[in-house]
């Protein structure tokens, strides 16, 4: 979604799934920014909507504007630091569901391709040879859930958190995510009214109690 086309959904205004004194969980809709952009008209986002209800809300991680699904926010600096450490040290588990173009031949696999910014076309990313300036290692596990007539429903478990990682990795595999206005051609973009990528499951440790937390939001990509 290009920023000049930004028209965030208003229904539901917020899909709150959980909140306590340390954290808040929401199910973010596709089309809503995680945090404000530079332009004034991008002020409306998941973070600012939450801050109207809970002024102490702090951003911990991001989902792309077009990606829907589970997000966690902190409510104090200690929780923010602890949660960000979990994300940086890969102590949590994020599971995404995507519908991609064509039929994936293998039932499961690993995509191990470094990713770097495309200097000629920011903010696009691209796969790159390890060791190239700006390239960062990126690892994604995939598992086929359902093969459809012209597409495949796939579970994606990223082991790293690079910008646009899942979109770039599926493109490199030859199966771009349907509805992807950034990396898809006209056929891919027109195949669906939105990016078919959803953060379905998130597991982490509660920053105060140490309790294992698991939040789930079923994907909307029914056949």
């Amino acid at each position: 979604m290009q920023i000049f086309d930004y028209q965030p959904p208003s229904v539901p205004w917020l899909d709150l799934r959980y909140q306590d004194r340390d954290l808040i969980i929401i199910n973010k809709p596709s089309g809503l920014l995680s945090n404000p952009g530079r332009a004034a008209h991008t002020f409306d986002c998941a973070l600012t909507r939450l801050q109207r209800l809970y002024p102490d809300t702090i951003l911990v991680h991001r989902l792309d504007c077009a990606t829907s699904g589970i997000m966690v926010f902190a409510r104090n600096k200690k929780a923010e630091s602890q949660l960000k450490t979990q994300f940086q040290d890969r102590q949590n588990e994020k599971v995404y569901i995507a519908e991609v173009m064509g039929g994936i031949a293998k039932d499961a696999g690993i995509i191990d391709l470094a990713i770097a910014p495309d200097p000629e076309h920011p903010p696009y990313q691209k796969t790159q040879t390890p060791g190239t300036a700006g390239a960062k290692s990126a690892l994604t596990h995939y598992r086929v859930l359902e093969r459809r007539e012209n597409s495949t429903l796939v579970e994606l478990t990223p082991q790293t958190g690079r910008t646009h990682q899942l979109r770039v990795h599926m493109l490199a595999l030859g199966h771009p995510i349907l509805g992807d206005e950034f990396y898809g051609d006209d056929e891919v973009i027109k195949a669906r009214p939105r990016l078919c990528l959803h953060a379905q499951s998130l597991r982490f440790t509660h920053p105060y109690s140490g309790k294992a937390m698991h939040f789930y939001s079923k994907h909307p990509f029914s056949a």
Side-chain angles (χ1 to χ4, degrees):
M1 176 179 293
Q2 301 299 323
I3 205 62
F4 50 79
D5 291 329
Y6 186 52
Q7 297 180 0
S10 58
V11 180
W13 190 74
L14 270 177
D15 184 359
L16 285 167
R17 296 300 178 94
Y18 176 85
Q19 66 91 16
D20 61 25
R21 68 180 185 178
D22 294 294
L23 54 87
I24 302 171
I25 303 294
I26 69 166
N27 181 38
K28 187 187 82 68
S30 175
L32 182 67
L33 287 165
S34 295
N35 59 307
R38 294 181 179 179
H41 69 281
T42 65
F43 179 78
D44 183 18
C45 63
L47 178 62
T48 55
R49 289 184 182 188
L50 278 170
Q51 287 174 337
R52 288 175 63 178
L53 297 177
Y54 309 101
D56 52 7
T57 304
I58 303 170
L59 186 76
V60 172
H61 67 121
R62 297 173 179 83
L63 292 179
D64 289 344
C65 182
T67 303
S68 57
I70 295 294
M71 286 188 70
V72 57
F73 295 80
R75 296 191 64 188
N76 55 67
K77 287 294 185 180
K78 182 177 180 180
E80 176 198 17
S81 176
Q82 213 282 335
L83 288 168
K84 283 185 174 179
T85 296
Q86 290 187 49
F87 276 84
Q88 293 167 0
D89 294 347
R90 307 173 193 175
Q91 296 169 354
N92 54 14
E93 180 187 78
K94 297 175 286 184
V95 177
Y96 293 76
I97 304 298
E99 185 180 9
V100 303
M101 178 68 76
I104 298 178
K106 295 176 62 178
D107 290 338
I110 298 174
I111 306 169
D112 185 0
L113 294 170
I115 292 176
D118 186 340
E120 298 181 2
H121 304 95
Y124 290 80
Q125 308 288 309
K126 61 181 181 180
T127 56
Q128 190 58 272
T129 304
T132 303
K136 296 181 179 180
S137 61
L139 188 69
T140 302
H141 294 261
Y142 72 86
R143 181 171 67 91
V144 170
L145 300 177
E146 180 184 344
R147 291 184 173 88
R148 299 173 175 176
E149 185 175 353
N150 298 305
S151 66
T152 303
L153 194 69
V154 60
E155 177 185 276
L156 303 173
T157 306
Q159 299 302 302
T160 49
R162 309 307 180 198
T163 300
H164 296 174
Q165 176 174 322
L166 301 181
R167 300 160 80 165
V168 172
H169 271 179
M170 295 314 296
L171 177 67
L173 196 65
H175 300 281
I177 299 175
L178 296 181
D180 192 343
E181 295 185 0
F182 265 73
Y183 298 99
D185 57 19
D186 286 345
E187 183 181 8
V188 169
I189 294 170
K190 293 176 181 178
R192 295 293 183 272
R194 57 155 290 188
L195 175 71
C196 291
L197 181 62
H198 180 75
Q200 179 167 275
S201 174
L202 177 62
R203 295 178 185 271
F204 61 92
T205 301
H206 193 282
Y208 179 77
S209 69
K211 178 182 177 182
M213 309 291 285
H214 178 214
F215 296 93
Y216 177 91
S217 168
K218 183 173 173 57
H219 73 84
F221 312 128
S222 299

